[in-house]
Amino acid sequence: MFYLSESISCWENIKQTARNGKPIALYGTGNGADKIIDFCEKHNIRLAGIFVSDKFCREQVFRGYKVETYKEIVQKIGKDFLLIIAFASELPEVLQRFQDLSKAHTTLVPHLGLYKDENLDEDWFAKHQEELQYAYDNLADDWSKKVFLDMLNYKFSGKIHYLFDHVTQRQDDLQLLDLKQDEIYYDLGAYTGDTAEEVPAKARVLVEADYKNFGKLQNNLPKSDNNILINAAIWKEEGHIQFSSQSGRAASIYGAKSSTITCTTIDKIVEKTKLIPTYIKMDLEGAEKEALAGGTNAIQQYKPKMLIAGYHFNEDIFDIPLLLHQLNPNYQIYLRKHPYVPDWEINFFVK
């Protein structure tokens, strides 16, 4: 498999480290740490300790482990240990902390599925070899191909350097799309409006599913002739859908269902608003492929430029390019990785 340069998976690396008697310390608590500890317990691996940043260390216990500071961990077990990072961040100071720690210790960041637990082993890569090859071959530039390989090798190995090797800034990458002052901008997954004004636009259609986020969106960007606000989920068809309302970025159709909400499609919005999209941004917490299916007519007819999140499911890295080329074989597709640990900011730029 040309795209997989790593030979040992992240999880096998953890097991080998434990068999060799080298201490393993976990950085962070929460859902990610729970999954990692579950794995360790299943394989009879006892962690040497858990630590958090100094300001968050308050004499607590997590899963039977005393939560300590990094300094206390080093004093207890020395500096020669495997470090496993168990939480996510995009904060520059935290990302720098991760990089500094990775220079002092062998460091892994296990890839944990956002909405579906799936082991990316050799069998997974073999199963999807044709799709992976097609997606790779049809990326628009060499940088995209480097990001593609980085992300596959990261998902398999958990090695932290892949998350930093070819990172760029989202605002810089928007220049790939050559956006104009008079774009008709569809912001799908508008959240509270934080991406509404990242590009100039003559008119904006802002769609947000979570009602609390939508309330904040209304306050931040009041409805006007230039701003159309829609409280609905973007999907492949109109109707209603079960939804997990978490009043944050993670609100999604996936996970624990807490409510039923209205869903609509890109094509229906175009039909009702008469606004022809020239640029679409979609970060829909895993519903990107369904959104593309529900926008088939508009995308094929109008060929809008797009920014599409590509990290919610493992298959997104090849499924989304395949769908885009089915809709428009002439689309140029760029793949970019933005600053985040783990791989939660992989985006396709499409024109």
Side-chain angles (χ1 to χ4, degrees):
M1 292 177 280
F2 78 96
Y3 37 77
L4 197 59
S5 57
E6 296 291 338
S7 59
I8 301 176
S9 74
C10 175
W11 303 108
E12 184 59 33
N13 196 341
I14 293 171
K15 289 191 287 185
Q16 288 186 11
T17 300
R19 285 196 296 266
N20 293 334
K22 185 174 181 176
I24 301 173
L26 197 63
Y27 182 13
T29 58
N31 292 339
D34 268 326
K35 291 182 179 181
I36 295 166
I37 293 173
D38 286 344
F39 170 85
C40 290
E41 290 181 349
K42 179 180 178 180
H43 295 279
N44 298 313
I45 298 170
R46 179 69 184 175
L47 298 173
I50 296 178
F51 70 94
V52 295
S53 301
D54 291 359
K55 63 181 178 180
F56 298 116
C57 191
R58 301 184 181 92
E59 298 290 330
Q60 70 264 47
V61 173
F62 183 81
R63 294 286 297 267
Y65 293 91
K66 177 186 175 184
V67 179
E68 303 175 271
T69 65
Y70 172 71
K71 182 178 180 180
E72 289 170 335
I73 289 289
V74 171
Q75 289 175 340
K76 182 171 70 174
I77 65 175
K79 293 185 177 181
D80 187 19
F81 62 85
L82 172 65
L83 170 62
I84 302 178
I85 294 173
F87 68 101
S89 183
E90 60 181 334
L91 297 174
E93 63 271 22
V94 178
L95 297 182
Q96 185 60 57
R97 168 80 163 160
F98 290 162
Q99 289 187 290
D100 291 343
L101 287 169
S102 71
K103 294 173 183 176
H105 311 279
T106 301
T107 302
L108 298 178
V109 187
H111 169 67
L112 303 170
L114 277 169
Y115 300 115
K116 181 173 70 173
D117 291 330
E118 185 177 18
N119 187 18
L120 266 72
D121 55 15
E122 290 89 344
D123 290 341
W124 185 91
F125 285 95
K127 176 183 177 182
H128 297 296
Q129 186 167 359
E130 289 187 12
E131 299 104 312
L132 289 165
Q133 183 73 61
Y134 182 92
Y136 177 85
D137 289 342
N138 285 279
L139 291 170
D141 65 353
D142 287 341
W143 193 272
S144 298
K145 294 180 178 182
K146 290 175 181 176
V147 173
F148 186 89
L149 297 179
D150 280 349
M151 292 306 97
L152 292 179
N153 280 282
Y154 160 70
K155 288 171 184 289
F156 179 72
S157 72
K159 292 185 177 179
I160 191 171
H161 73 85
Y162 288 114
L163 297 173
F164 292 100
D165 284 352
H166 295 96
V167 169
T168 50
Q169 297 296 323
R170 176 185 175 116
Q171 199 60 41
D172 294 336
D173 294 331
L174 283 168
Q175 297 179 23
L176 292 166
L177 302 181
D178 192 26
L179 297 169
K180 308 300 183 184
Q181 295 290 327
D182 58 350
E183 302 290 346
I184 305 299
Y185 175 19
Y186 277 46
D187 189 346
L188 309 181
Y191 187 44
T192 61
D194 58 331
T195 55
E197 297 180 344
E198 69 179 1
V199 297
K202 180 171 65 176
R204 297 178 178 86
V205 177
L206 302 123
V207 186
E208 171 57 36
D210 184 87
Y211 74 97
K212 289 187 178 179
N213 291 340
F214 186 75
K216 295 176 183 177
L217 175 63
Q218 289 177 305
N219 291 331
N220 294 335
L221 208 71
K223 183 178 179 180
S224 68
D225 291 341
N226 296 327
N227 295 322
I228 295 176
L229 279 61
I230 300 172
N231 185 198
I234 295 293
W235 193 240
K236 58 187 176 183
E237 59 194 7
E238 281 192 309
H240 294 85
I241 195 167
Q242 292 293 304
F243 189 71
S244 174
S245 179
Q246 300 184 30
S247 303
R249 290 189 184 276
S252 169
I253 63 168
Y254 300 100
K257 306 300 189 289
S258 59
S259 60
T260 300
I261 62 169
T262 299
C263 59
T264 188
T265 70
I266 294 171
D267 284 340
K268 285 297 181 182
I269 294 174
V270 174
E271 179 185 324
K272 291 176 182 178
T273 65
K274 309 302 181 186
L275 289 173
I276 296 172
T278 62
Y279 170 58
I280 298 174
K281 180 231 96 180
M282 58 175 78
D283 189 344
L284 298 169
E285 297 304 320
E288 289 78 14
K289 288 173 280 191
E290 289 80 6
L292 289 171
T296 296
N297 293 335
I299 294 169
Q300 288 183 332
Q301 184 173 356
Y302 303 119
K303 302 174 177 59
K305 294 165 279 192
M306 289 186 273
L307 190 165
I308 305 174
Y311 57 91
H312 295 109
F313 291 102
N314 292 326
E315 293 80 8
D316 286 350
I317 201 165
F318 58 78
D319 275 346
I320 289 174
L322 287 170
L323 284 171
L324 289 168
H325 273 148
Q326 289 171 6
L327 293 170
N328 178 8
N330 295 319
Y331 265 143
Q332 298 176 54
I333 303 172
Y334 299 83
L335 181 64
R336 294 296 187 263
K337 167 73 171 69
H338 301 136
Y340 217 116
V341 169
D343 56 331
W344 290 3
E345 272 298 324
I346 309 171
N347 293 298
F348 293 100
F349 291 77
V350 186
K351 67 177 182 179

